[in-house]
């Protein structure tokens, strides 16, 4: 069993985040007689997964719905449709960011043509 600080350090999140996940029903901890939280070793992977889902734009309710699927391998058609929408949104964001990056690269290339050599060397 791991203490809250150990899980936080291994998963790269704050202790506060772990408490929030617990409040949202995303993470479970056992309590010692003195009230300290103790987590299973698997909590680290679960927290990393939760972080990935948040980064993908899912909210707590969506993550809560997805978690059982991760453990059982069973998903509802509605869940899969929602996840596909999220994936498509991420694909759109990637395309937009890639286009913005390409435009910036072109501006840099053009701008470098007009920079005096003395200034470019410094």
């Amino acid at each position: 069993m791991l203490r809250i600080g150990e899980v936080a350090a291994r998963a790269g999140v704050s202790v506060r985040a772990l408490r929030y996940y617990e409040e949202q029903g995303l993470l479970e901890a056992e309590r010692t007689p003195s009230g300290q939280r103790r987590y299973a070793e698997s909590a680290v992977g679960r927290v990393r997964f939760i972080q990935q889902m948040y980064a993908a734009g899912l909210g707590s309710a969506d993550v809560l719905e997805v978690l059982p699927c991760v453990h059982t391998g069973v998903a509802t058609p509605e869940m899969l449709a929602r996840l596909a929408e999220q994936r498509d949104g991420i694909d759109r964001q990637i395309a937009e960011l890639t286009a913005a990056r390409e435009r910036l690269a072109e501006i840099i290339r053009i701008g470098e043509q007009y920079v005096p050599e003395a200034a470019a060397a410094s």
Side-chain angles (χ1 to χ4, degrees):
M1 297 297 282
L2 302 171
R3 292 178 297 163
I4 192 167
E6 293 171 314
V7 175
R10 286 173 151 187
V13 300
S14 68
V15 168
R16 183 175 178 192
L18 295 180
R19 289 186 187 120
Y20 174 77
Y21 297 160
E22 202 173 325
E23 288 172 9
Q24 297 299 308
L26 301 171
L27 188 62
E28 294 178 9
E30 292 180 12
R31 297 289 183 137
T32 65
S34 63
Q36 293 181 333
R37 291 171 170 88
R38 296 287 182 187
Y39 296 91
E41 193 74 34
S42 61
V44 175
R46 187 177 183 109
V47 170
R48 288 180 180 151
F49 177 76
I50 292 167
Q51 287 287 296
Q52 288 174 334
M53 294 298 98
Y54 278 154
L58 276 72
S60 295
D62 293 324
V63 175
L64 190 58
E65 186 178 341
V66 170
L67 282 172
C69 171
V70 173
H71 298 294
T72 65
V74 177
T76 65
E78 295 82 11
M79 181 190 314
L80 293 175
R82 188 172 317 130
L83 292 173
E85 286 175 20
Q86 290 291 333
R87 182 207 51 218
D88 294 346
I90 291 169
D91 287 343
R92 284 189 296 277
Q93 289 175 333
I94 290 170
E96 290 169 6
L97 288 170
T98 300
R101 182 182 176 276
E102 290 171 359
R103 286 192 300 268
L104 285 172
E106 182 61 23
I107 292 167
I108 291 168
R109 279 192 293 277
I110 292 168
E112 287 174 341
Q113 296 173 15
Y114 299 102
V115 175
E117 290 208 20
S122 57

